[in-house]
Amino acid sequence: MTFSPRVLAPLAMLLAVPVASASADDGAAGDQLARSARLMAAGNATGARAWAWKAVRANPDMAAAHLALARAHLALGEGAQAEGELERAVAAGTPLAGVQHLRAHAIVLQGDGRAALQAVGQALPDHRVYALRMRGLAMLALGDLAAARANLEQAVAAAPRDGDAWTDLGRFRFVAGDLVGAIAASDRSVTLRPQNVNALVLRGELVRQQAGLVASIPWFRRAVAIDGYHHDALIELAATLGDTGHSVEMLAMTRRAAEARPTSPRVFYLQALLAARAGRYALARSVLERGGPGVLAMPGGLLLAATLDMQAGANEQAATKLGQLIDQQPMNLNVRRLFAASLLRVDAARNAVRVLRPLVLRADADSYALELVGRGLERIGERAEAGAFLDRAAWPVRAAPAPFSSDAGLAVLQAAADEAPGRPDVAIPYIRALIEAGRPADALARAQRVAADNPGAPGAFLLVGDVLMTLNRPADALTPYRRAAAIRFDQPVLLRLIEGMERTGDAAGASGVLAGFVAQNPRNLMALRLLADRQLAAGRYDDAVDALEDIRFRIGNRDAALLAALAQGYAGLDDADAARRYGEGAYALAPANAVAVHAFGLSRLVAGDAAGAVPILEKAVALAPDQAVLRWRLAQAYAGAGRRTEAATLLRALIADPRFVDRPEAEALLAGLA
């Protein structure tokens, strides 16, 4: 069959059009692909993804463009998107065997360890190091830590200059609790690839654990400077900024993270948290609702949602959420308190008591938990037991922190520890039980063995220190406590260091450690309270009031001990009105608490009403007769009210008490009464 020239000419023109377009598209796609590669090499995976996507749009049949886009998705942790692009690359002509290592990566990012192992088993020998990394991550997803460690260590041994392999190993060690090993691996990764955003984010997370919030911020900023829309880097920076009080910048980072990943549950959680901190509870609830079930799958999101439910009076919904969270975090004491409070509000007093009983059986139980249990027992008619807990709640001094008691027998715990000698999570309950059973020497031997087997785990050193403290060897305990602090300087380490230093007479060292922790973690409520207590004791009332007012702004006016401390601070500043306001508030909340009663009496004394202060301070002394500071205030009130004989009797007793620290002032007051 032949065509006439009249037919062939239009046909030739028609055929020439797509050929010319394809050539132009190939050129555009090639240029875009080159830009993507340059950005990827510079660490900007988000930018690389954008240009790879343009290349795919310019030429959907270009396998290299789909591969570049898949690699960018993998660098950003987007497993499902990466798997889709790999399928398109194979459809465009890429051999399936050549991308099996990448498929394994995409699949493991989606949490399917078994499918990832199947894919990595078909990887080519040329991709051995990548395959070892993915096999390690797949084993980690399946919970086989030993196999995960072996594969990841093989990867870095085979390619000691592969920064990604070191990052994977560092992340594994972090998850496994080996912080020393994680820090070493992340240092190596950042040294090898300073532009590796994932390595910088890991380094920031480790510094946050090791040194504190403030020290970690520069690492997250470095990551964001390289890739301004890297979701994980933005989220970590936003969360850390929020925890250090930089709310405006936190909001800006979350908005940018939302642009990078509009459906991110972590974005919705952080924005809702920010709104709740600002007191905009309706907005916080709205943001959480828009975040969907993904936010409630996060422990923090579940806790925030429950807290907002309680604020709105939806106590049954709050109790349901907190019950789910207790199942996930049974040792979280703050969650137990909230759960019990929500149960009391829905008249489930018996359940509230059961939730809090493991906490209030501890010697160091806080007054709020004790009061909740007392009120719960009252509601179910157990008034005698309720009275005992309410009496403890009113006592101004708490015992030193203690671990949870184990319900299991020592034999059972020992058997479990002997079967898994290398696992500190199994050994620790047994060691705690040995301490509580009065066998500290056995506990110390076992703890030292755990620490030797786990030199990168701070918890192992804390355990050794705790046993030494039980043996009344605080100077020896400071060594393992300091080793733990060098790995991870967090709240439990801080409390132990302070206690150890104070028991060895190093009060200045304890104050220095506390000040350093607050400098790195300026919004940590526990540390701020400890710092304020020390400032009050040292007469630094301005500083104490600033810290206490910051705490009050964040937690409200329902903490009697906080209001009492504020009354004391303002009394020290001779601000009688503020001292009276906070003293009355503390007393209204806890009229049977010696600290609150003292604050009320002190506020009267500062206002010049010594006669009115006397009966209040007498009540405080009756509640806590062993507290010298209360008797000192009462002596001052007696003197101010003209009751010289009673004042002199109290003062002589105080001066004879070796624990009394204000002896010169008491002697001067006594001399003035003569």
Side-chain angles (χ1 to χ4, degrees):
M1 182 177 180
T2 59
F3 294 94
S4 69
R6 288 173 58 189
V7 175
L8 288 174
L11 182 60
M13 292 177 63
L14 184 64
L15 292 173
V17 172
V19 170
S21 298
S23 177
D25 288 346
D26 284 346
D31 179 63
Q32 291 155 354
L33 207 53
R35 293 187 182 212
S36 175
R38 286 194 294 272
L39 287 168
M40 196 71 174
N44 187 347
T46 303
R49 181 183 61 185
W51 282 103
W53 172 238
K54 289 181 180 180
V56 166
R57 291 181 61 188
N59 187 350
D61 295 324
M62 180 180 283
H66 289 291
L67 278 175
L69 184 53
R71 290 182 183 278
H73 281 308
L74 290 174
L76 293 168
E78 298 165 349
Q81 297 92 323
E83 188 176 13
E85 289 305 318
L86 290 171
E87 290 175 356
R88 296 179 188 97
V90 171
T94 298
L96 177 60
V99 297
Q100 288 289 16
H101 60 302
L102 300 177
R103 280 192 66 243
H105 194 171
I107 293 168
V108 81
L109 284 174
Q110 298 172 68
D112 191 343
R114 296 193 183 283
L117 286 177
Q118 291 177 354
V120 82
Q122 302 171 47
L124 296 175
D126 290 348
H127 304 140
R128 176 174 174 266
V129 172
Y130 205 119
L132 283 169
R133 290 171 49 207
M134 294 310 111
R135 187 175 287 111
L137 296 181
M139 290 298 184
L140 179 59
L142 293 171
D144 189 341
L145 299 186
R149 178 187 292 107
N151 280 280
L152 293 171
E153 288 178 349
Q154 284 182 53
V156 297
R161 299 194 62 79
D162 187 326
D164 290 328
W166 282 105
T167 301
D168 288 342
L169 180 59
R171 178 65 66 182
F172 163 79
R173 287 173 173 172
F174 191 12
V175 171
D178 179 6
L179 294 190
V180 170
I183 291 165
S186 72
D187 279 343
R188 180 67 172 157
S189 178
V190 170
T191 300
L192 290 168
R193 284 190 59 196
Q195 303 299 102
N196 186 337
V197 172
N198 290 325
L200 291 170
V201 170
L202 173 62
R203 192 74 188 91
E205 291 179 68
L206 290 166
V207 169
R208 188 168 58 196
Q209 289 275 336
Q210 183 184 28
L213 297 168
V214 174
S216 70
I217 290 176
W219 291 96
F220 297 132
R221 290 198 191 281
R222 275 181 61 181
V224 171
I226 294 168
D227 186 345
Y229 286 87
H230 191 286
H231 171 268
D232 291 354
L234 289 166
I235 287 293
E236 296 298 340
L237 177 57
T240 310
L241 288 168
D243 287 342
T244 53
H246 297 84
S247 301
V248 174
E249 193 177 359
M250 174 190 179
L251 179 60
M253 294 300 106
T254 60
R255 285 173 172 167
R256 200 190 294 181
E259 292 181 49
R261 195 174 295 175
T263 60
S264 168
R266 297 176 73 188
V267 169
F268 286 107
Y269 164 66
L270 287 178
Q271 290 185 343
L273 181 63
L274 189 58
R277 284 175 175 171
R280 302 178 64 183
Y281 303 118
L283 175 61
R285 281 189 287 272
S286 174
V287 172
L288 281 182
E289 288 172 3
R290 285 190 280 119
V295 179
L296 296 184
M298 302 165 52
L302 199 58
L303 177 58
L304 178 58
T307 304
L308 292 171
D309 284 341
M310 291 182 70
Q311 189 275 332
N315 296 304
E316 291 185 359
Q317 293 92 319
T320 299
K321 293 182 178 73
L322 290 167
Q324 296 171 16
L325 193 53
I326 282 289
D327 290 339
Q328 299 173 31
Q329 301 178 349
M331 306 293 276
N332 189 321
L333 306 187
N334 290 327
V335 173
R336 282 186 176 271
R337 293 186 191 95
L338 277 176
F339 188 29
S342 68
L343 290 170
L344 284 176
R345 292 186 183 186
V346 296
D347 294 327
R350 195 175 298 277
N351 291 337
V353 171
R354 186 175 65 250
V355 166
L356 282 179
R357 191 170 289 280
L359 194 160
V360 297
L361 290 177
R362 296 159 53 111
D364 65 324
D366 61 282
S367 60
Y368 180 57
L370 292 166
E371 184 174 354
L372 286 175
V373 169
R375 299 305 175 201
L377 289 167
E378 279 184 336
R379 292 190 189 181
I380 61 176
E382 302 289 344
R383 297 194 174 276
E385 190 178 4
F389 282 108
L390 292 173
D391 288 344
R392 283 180 63 197
W395 196 252
V397 179
R398 288 169 60 186
F404 264 108
S405 295
S406 172
D407 292 329
L410 275 174
V412 175
L413 292 172
Q414 181 178 357
D418 289 342
E419 288 176 9
R423 288 183 55 186
D425 59 322
V426 177
I428 287 172
Y430 175 51
I431 294 168
R432 298 289 188 205
L434 285 171
I435 295 171
E436 294 175 12
R439 295 169 54 186
D442 293 338
L444 179 60
R446 180 74 66 151
Q448 289 171 331
R449 192 185 317 166
V450 172
D453 292 340
N454 300 273
F461 294 106
L462 288 182
L463 198 58
V464 174
D466 289 351
V467 178
L468 289 167
M469 291 290 279
T470 302
L471 292 168
N472 198 28
R473 294 166 56 185
D476 294 332
L478 283 173
T479 298
Y481 284 162
R482 288 190 175 108
R483 290 193 64 178
I487 302 170
R488 182 178 64 202
F489 189 28
D490 58 6
Q491 184 171 305
V493 175
L494 171 70
L495 291 173
R496 287 167 168 85
L497 275 174
I498 288 175
E499 183 184 1
M501 288 177 173
E502 288 182 337
R503 285 178 59 178
T504 56
D506 187 7
S511 295
V513 166
L514 177 59
F517 185 87
V518 171
Q520 286 295 327
N521 305 276
R523 287 182 60 84
N524 185 287
L525 290 173
M526 181 280 304
L528 284 174
R529 285 294 293 269
L530 283 178
L531 183 62
D533 288 344
R534 279 167 166 69
Q535 289 166 339
L536 286 174
R540 295 168 53 194
Y541 299 114
D542 276 320
D543 293 334
V545 164
D546 286 344
L548 293 167
E549 285 287 14
D550 179 34
I551 297 169
R552 187 184 67 84
F553 177 76
R554 288 160 57 192
I555 71 171
N557 297 308
R558 301 296 300 172
D559 187 320
L562 174 62
L563 298 186
L566 277 163
Q568 183 181 346
Y570 280 112
L573 295 173
D574 293 323
D575 187 338
D577 289 339
R580 176 191 52 78
R581 184 168 65 251
Y582 287 119
E584 289 178 352
Y587 187 75
L589 287 172
N593 184 296
V595 173
V597 177
H598 166 253
F600 185 31
L602 178 62
S603 69
R604 290 284 184 89
L605 189 60
V606 171
D609 183 11
V614 165
I616 302 170
L617 291 170
E618 285 178 334
K619 177 179 177 180
V621 170
L623 288 168
D626 291 336
Q627 297 300 304
V629 66
L630 304 186
R631 289 181 282 133
W632 167 230
R633 293 298 186 197
L634 179 56
Q636 291 174 303
Y638 280 147
R643 297 167 64 170
R644 292 170 173 266
T645 301
E646 292 154 299
T649 301
L650 261 183
L651 288 168
R652 291 190 187 96
L654 283 167
I655 292 167
D657 186 346
R659 299 169 298 174
F660 182 55
V661 296
D662 293 312
R663 185 172 291 102
E665 293 84 350
E667 289 173 343
L669 180 57
L670 182 61
L673 295 175

PDB file of all heavy atoms in Angstrom, residues 50-72:
ATOM      1  N   ALA A  50      11.372  17.902  45.039  1.00  0.00           N
ATOM      2  CA  ALA A  50      10.614  18.824  44.189  1.00  0.00           C
ATOM      3  C   ALA A  50      11.113  18.779  42.750  1.00  0.00           C
ATOM      4  O   ALA A  50      10.314  18.713  41.801  1.00  0.00           O
ATOM      5  CB  ALA A  50      10.718  20.239  44.744  1.00  0.00           C
ATOM      6  N   TRP A  51      12.433  18.792  42.550  1.00  0.00           N
ATOM      7  CA  TRP A  51      12.959  18.780  41.192  1.00  0.00           C
ATOM      8  C   TRP A  51      12.797  17.406  40.552  1.00  0.00           C
ATOM      9  O   TRP A  51      12.556  17.315  39.328  1.00  0.00           O
ATOM     10  CB  TRP A  51      14.421  19.207  41.182  1.00  0.00           C
ATOM     11  CG  TRP A  51      14.566  20.693  41.315  1.00  0.00           C
ATOM     12  CD1 TRP A  51      14.931  21.393  42.418  1.00  0.00           C
ATOM     13  CD2 TRP A  51      14.298  21.660  40.300  1.00  0.00           C
ATOM     14  NE1 TRP A  51      14.908  22.744  42.169  1.00  0.00           N
ATOM     15  CE2 TRP A  51      14.526  22.940  40.865  1.00  0.00           C
ATOM     16  CE3 TRP A  51      13.885  21.580  38.976  1.00  0.00           C
ATOM     17  CZ2 TRP A  51      14.361  24.122  40.151  1.00  0.00           C
ATOM     18  CZ3 TRP A  51      13.722  22.753  38.255  1.00  0.00           C
ATOM     19  CH2 TRP A  51      13.955  24.010  38.827  1.00  0.00           C
ATOM     20  N   ALA A  52      12.893  16.339  41.303  1.00  0.00           N
ATOM     21  CA  ALA A  52      12.654  15.003  40.747  1.00  0.00           C
ATOM     22  C   ALA A  52      11.199  14.868  40.307  1.00  0.00           C
ATOM     23  O   ALA A  52      10.904  14.249  39.271  1.00  0.00           O
ATOM     24  CB  ALA A  52      12.999  13.930  41.779  1.00  0.00           C
ATOM     25  N   TRP A  53      10.295  15.471  41.092  1.00  0.00           N
ATOM     26  CA  TRP A  53       8.880  15.432  40.716  1.00  0.00           C
ATOM     27  C   TRP A  53       8.648  16.191  39.409  1.00  0.00           C
ATOM     28  O   TRP A  53       7.878  15.748  38.544  1.00  0.00           O
ATOM     29  CB  TRP A  53       8.039  16.009  41.836  1.00  0.00           C
ATOM     30  CG  TRP A  53       6.585  16.204  41.497  1.00  0.00           C
ATOM     31  CD1 TRP A  53       5.881  17.352  41.529  1.00  0.00           C
ATOM     32  CD2 TRP A  53       5.662  15.197  41.069  1.00  0.00           C
ATOM     33  NE1 TRP A  53       4.580  17.151  41.146  1.00  0.00           N
ATOM     34  CE2 TRP A  53       4.414  15.826  40.859  1.00  0.00           C
ATOM     35  CE3 TRP A  53       5.766  13.833  40.834  1.00  0.00           C
ATOM     36  CZ2 TRP A  53       3.287  15.141  40.415  1.00  0.00           C
ATOM     37  CZ3 TRP A  53       4.630  13.139  40.410  1.00  0.00           C
ATOM     38  CH2 TRP A  53       3.419  13.787  40.216  1.00  0.00           C
ATOM     39  N   LYS A  54       9.356  17.306  39.232  1.00  0.00           N
ATOM     40  CA  LYS A  54       9.241  18.046  37.970  1.00  0.00           C
ATOM     41  C   LYS A  54       9.763  17.205  36.805  1.00  0.00           C
ATOM     42  O   LYS A  54       9.182  17.220  35.703  1.00  0.00           O
ATOM     43  CB  LYS A  54      10.020  19.354  38.065  1.00  0.00           C
ATOM     44  CG  LYS A  54       9.383  20.378  38.986  1.00  0.00           C
ATOM     45  CD  LYS A  54      10.197  21.668  39.018  1.00  0.00           C
ATOM     46  CE  LYS A  54       9.539  22.697  39.953  1.00  0.00           C
ATOM     47  NZ  LYS A  54      10.285  23.963  40.010  1.00  0.00           N
ATOM     48  N   ALA A  55      10.840  16.482  37.048  1.00  0.00           N
ATOM     49  CA  ALA A  55      11.367  15.613  35.993  1.00  0.00           C
ATOM     50  C   ALA A  55      10.369  14.522  35.631  1.00  0.00           C
ATOM     51  O   ALA A  55      10.185  14.189  34.453  1.00  0.00           O
ATOM     52  CB  ALA A  55      12.687  14.994  36.446  1.00  0.00           C
ATOM     53  N   VAL A  56       9.711  13.952  36.620  1.00  0.00           N
ATOM     54  CA  VAL A  56       8.692  12.926  36.369  1.00  0.00           C
ATOM     55  C   VAL A  56       7.538  13.506  35.563  1.00  0.00           C
ATOM     56  O   VAL A  56       7.019  12.870  34.627  1.00  0.00           O
ATOM     57  CB  VAL A  56       8.195  12.343  37.706  1.00  0.00           C
ATOM     58  CG1 VAL A  56       6.910  11.549  37.510  1.00  0.00           C
ATOM     59  CG2 VAL A  56       9.271  11.460  38.324  1.00  0.00           C
ATOM     60  N   ARG A  57       7.121  14.707  35.904  1.00  0.00           N
ATOM     61  CA  ARG A  57       6.030  15.342  35.158  1.00  0.00           C
ATOM     62  C   ARG A  57       6.453  15.649  33.728  1.00  0.00           C
ATOM     63  O   ARG A  57       5.657  15.526  32.790  1.00  0.00           O
ATOM     64  CB  ARG A  57       5.592  16.622  35.862  1.00  0.00           C
ATOM     65  CG  ARG A  57       4.894  16.379  37.186  1.00  0.00           C
ATOM     66  CD  ARG A  57       4.467  17.675  37.840  1.00  0.00           C
ATOM     67  NE  ARG A  57       3.528  18.418  37.025  1.00  0.00           N
ATOM     68  CZ  ARG A  57       3.118  19.662  37.289  1.00  0.00           C
ATOM     69  NH1 ARG A  57       3.613  20.293  38.353  1.00  0.00           N
ATOM     70  NH2 ARG A  57       2.248  20.258  36.512  1.00  0.00           N
ATOM     71  N   ALA A  58       7.725  16.065  33.561  1.00  0.00           N
ATOM     72  CA  ALA A  58       8.194  16.385  32.214  1.00  0.00           C
ATOM     73  C   ALA A  58       8.289  15.135  31.350  1.00  0.00           C
ATOM     74  O   ALA A  58       8.003  15.177  30.141  1.00  0.00           O
ATOM     75  CB  ALA A  58       9.561  17.072  32.293  1.00  0.00           C
ATOM     76  N   ASN A  59       8.671  14.009  31.954  1.00  0.00           N
ATOM     77  CA  ASN A  59       8.788  12.773  31.186  1.00  0.00           C
ATOM     78  C   ASN A  59       8.420  11.602  32.085  1.00  0.00           C
ATOM     79  O   ASN A  59       9.275  11.022  32.758  1.00  0.00           O
ATOM     80  CB  ASN A  59      10.205  12.601  30.649  1.00  0.00           C
ATOM     81  CG  ASN A  59      10.303  11.400  29.701  1.00  0.00           C
ATOM     82  OD1 ASN A  59       9.380  10.597  29.580  1.00  0.00           O
ATOM     83  ND2 ASN A  59      11.442  11.276  29.039  1.00  0.00           N
ATOM     84  N   PRO A  60       7.138  11.230  32.133  1.00  0.00           N
ATOM     85  CA  PRO A  60       6.688  10.151  33.023  1.00  0.00           C
ATOM     86  C   PRO A  60       7.303   8.800  32.711  1.00  0.00           C
ATOM     87  O   PRO A  60       7.215   7.884  33.531  1.00  0.00           O
ATOM     88  CB  PRO A  60       5.166  10.127  32.800  1.00  0.00           C
ATOM     89  CG  PRO A  60       4.839  11.457  32.214  1.00  0.00           C
ATOM     90  CD  PRO A  60       6.025  11.858  31.408  1.00  0.00           C
ATOM     91  N   ASP A  61       7.913   8.657  31.530  1.00  0.00           N
ATOM     92  CA  ASP A  61       8.493   7.370  31.158  1.00  0.00           C
ATOM     93  C   ASP A  61       9.982   7.275  31.482  1.00  0.00           C
ATOM     94  O   ASP A  61      10.618   6.276  31.142  1.00  0.00           O
ATOM     95  CB  ASP A  61       8.286   7.119  29.653  1.00  0.00           C
ATOM     96  CG  ASP A  61       6.808   6.989  29.303  1.00  0.00           C
ATOM     97  OD1 ASP A  61       6.064   6.431  30.131  1.00  0.00           O
ATOM     98  OD2 ASP A  61       6.414   7.438  28.222  1.00  0.00           O
ATOM     99  N   MET A  62      10.531   8.292  32.126  1.00  0.00           N
ATOM    100  CA  MET A  62      11.958   8.280  32.440  1.00  0.00           C
ATOM    101  C   MET A  62      12.170   7.552  33.767  1.00  0.00           C
ATOM    102  O   MET A  62      11.838   8.061  34.842  1.00  0.00           O
ATOM    103  CB  MET A  62      12.509   9.703  32.517  1.00  0.00           C
ATOM    104  CG  MET A  62      14.012   9.754  32.834  1.00  0.00           C
ATOM    105  SD  MET A  62      14.649  11.445  32.936  1.00  0.00           S
ATOM    106  CE  MET A  62      14.759  11.856  31.198  1.00  0.00           C
ATOM    107  N   ALA A  63      12.740   6.366  33.704  1.00  0.00           N
ATOM    108  CA  ALA A  63      12.939   5.551  34.899  1.00  0.00           C
ATOM    109  C   ALA A  63      13.844   6.251  35.906  1.00  0.00           C
ATOM    110  O   ALA A  63      13.620   6.181  37.126  1.00  0.00           O
ATOM    111  CB  ALA A  63      13.528   4.201  34.510  1.00  0.00           C
ATOM    112  N   ALA A  64      14.875   6.945  35.413  1.00  0.00           N
ATOM    113  CA  ALA A  64      15.811   7.618  36.314  1.00  0.00           C
ATOM    114  C   ALA A  64      15.115   8.679  37.153  1.00  0.00           C
ATOM    115  O   ALA A  64      15.486   8.910  38.316  1.00  0.00           O
ATOM    116  CB  ALA A  64      16.950   8.243  35.514  1.00  0.00           C
ATOM    117  N   ALA A  65      14.110   9.348  36.572  1.00  0.00           N
ATOM    118  CA  ALA A  65      13.380  10.376  37.319  1.00  0.00           C
ATOM    119  C   ALA A  65      12.586   9.744  38.458  1.00  0.00           C
ATOM    120  O   ALA A  65      12.552  10.262  39.584  1.00  0.00           O
ATOM    121  CB  ALA A  65      12.457  11.144  36.377  1.00  0.00           C
ATOM    122  N   HIS A  66      11.949   8.617  38.181  1.00  0.00           N
ATOM    123  CA  HIS A  66      11.199   7.926  39.237  1.00  0.00           C
ATOM    124  C   HIS A  66      12.139   7.426  40.341  1.00  0.00           C
ATOM    125  O   HIS A  66      11.806   7.491  41.536  1.00  0.00           O
ATOM    126  CB  HIS A  66      10.420   6.752  38.639  1.00  0.00           C
ATOM    127  CG  HIS A  66       9.265   7.170  37.791  1.00  0.00           C
ATOM    128  ND1 HIS A  66       8.135   7.757  38.303  1.00  0.00           N
ATOM    129  CD2 HIS A  66       9.081   7.098  36.442  1.00  0.00           C
ATOM    130  CE1 HIS A  66       7.284   8.023  37.316  1.00  0.00           C
ATOM    131  NE2 HIS A  66       7.835   7.626  36.173  1.00  0.00           N
ATOM    132  N   LEU A  67      13.317   6.946  39.944  1.00  0.00           N
ATOM    133  CA  LEU A  67      14.281   6.490  40.941  1.00  0.00           C
ATOM    134  C   LEU A  67      14.761   7.643  41.819  1.00  0.00           C
ATOM    135  O   LEU A  67      14.881   7.504  43.043  1.00  0.00           O
ATOM    136  CB  LEU A  67      15.479   5.840  40.247  1.00  0.00           C
ATOM    137  CG  LEU A  67      15.312   4.383  39.811  1.00  0.00           C
ATOM    138  CD1 LEU A  67      16.537   3.928  39.023  1.00  0.00           C
ATOM    139  CD2 LEU A  67      15.106   3.477  41.012  1.00  0.00           C
ATOM    140  N   ALA A  68      15.031   8.781  41.200  1.00  0.00           N
ATOM    141  CA  ALA A  68      15.482   9.943  41.976  1.00  0.00           C
ATOM    142  C   ALA A  68      14.407  10.390  42.951  1.00  0.00           C
ATOM    143  O   ALA A  68      14.691  10.733  44.112  1.00  0.00           O
ATOM    144  CB  ALA A  68      15.858  11.089  41.035  1.00  0.00           C
ATOM    145  N   LEU A  69      13.163  10.372  42.486  1.00  0.00           N
ATOM    146  CA  LEU A  69      12.063  10.768  43.359  1.00  0.00           C
ATOM    147  C   LEU A  69      11.907   9.769  44.511  1.00  0.00           C
ATOM    148  O   LEU A  69      11.662  10.153  45.669  1.00  0.00           O
ATOM    149  CB  LEU A  69      10.770  10.878  42.553  1.00  0.00           C
ATOM    150  CG  LEU A  69       9.526  11.368  43.303  1.00  0.00           C
ATOM    151  CD1 LEU A  69       9.785  12.681  44.026  1.00  0.00           C
ATOM    152  CD2 LEU A  69       8.350  11.511  42.335  1.00  0.00           C
ATOM    153  N   ALA A  70      12.073   8.493  44.218  1.00  0.00           N
ATOM    154  CA  ALA A  70      11.969   7.472  45.263  1.00  0.00           C
ATOM    155  C   ALA A  70      13.056   7.670  46.316  1.00  0.00           C
ATOM    156  O   ALA A  70      12.800   7.580  47.528  1.00  0.00           O
ATOM    157  CB  ALA A  70      12.086   6.082  44.649  1.00  0.00           C
ATOM    158  N   ARG A  71      14.291   7.946  45.879  1.00  0.00           N
ATOM    159  CA  ARG A  71      15.378   8.155  46.833  1.00  0.00           C
ATOM    160  C   ARG A  71      15.117   9.371  47.725  1.00  0.00           C
ATOM    161  O   ARG A  71      15.427   9.355  48.925  1.00  0.00           O
ATOM    162  CB  ARG A  71      16.701   8.309  46.088  1.00  0.00           C
ATOM    163  CG  ARG A  71      17.195   7.017  45.442  1.00  0.00           C
ATOM    164  CD  ARG A  71      18.533   7.228  44.751  1.00  0.00           C
ATOM    165  NE  ARG A  71      18.985   6.034  44.067  1.00  0.00           N
ATOM    166  CZ  ARG A  71      19.620   5.012  44.640  1.00  0.00           C
ATOM    167  NH1 ARG A  71      19.874   5.058  45.941  1.00  0.00           N
ATOM    168  NH2 ARG A  71      20.006   3.968  43.935  1.00  0.00           N
ATOM    169  N   ALA A  72      14.556  10.416  47.156  1.00  0.00           N
ATOM    170  CA  ALA A  72      14.235  11.596  47.958  1.00  0.00           C
ATOM    171  C   ALA A  72      13.160  11.271  48.988  1.00  0.00           C
ATOM    172  O   ALA A  72      13.249  11.687  50.154  1.00  0.00           O
ATOM    173  CB  ALA A  72      13.785  12.735  47.050  1.00  0.00           C
TER     174      ALA A  72
END
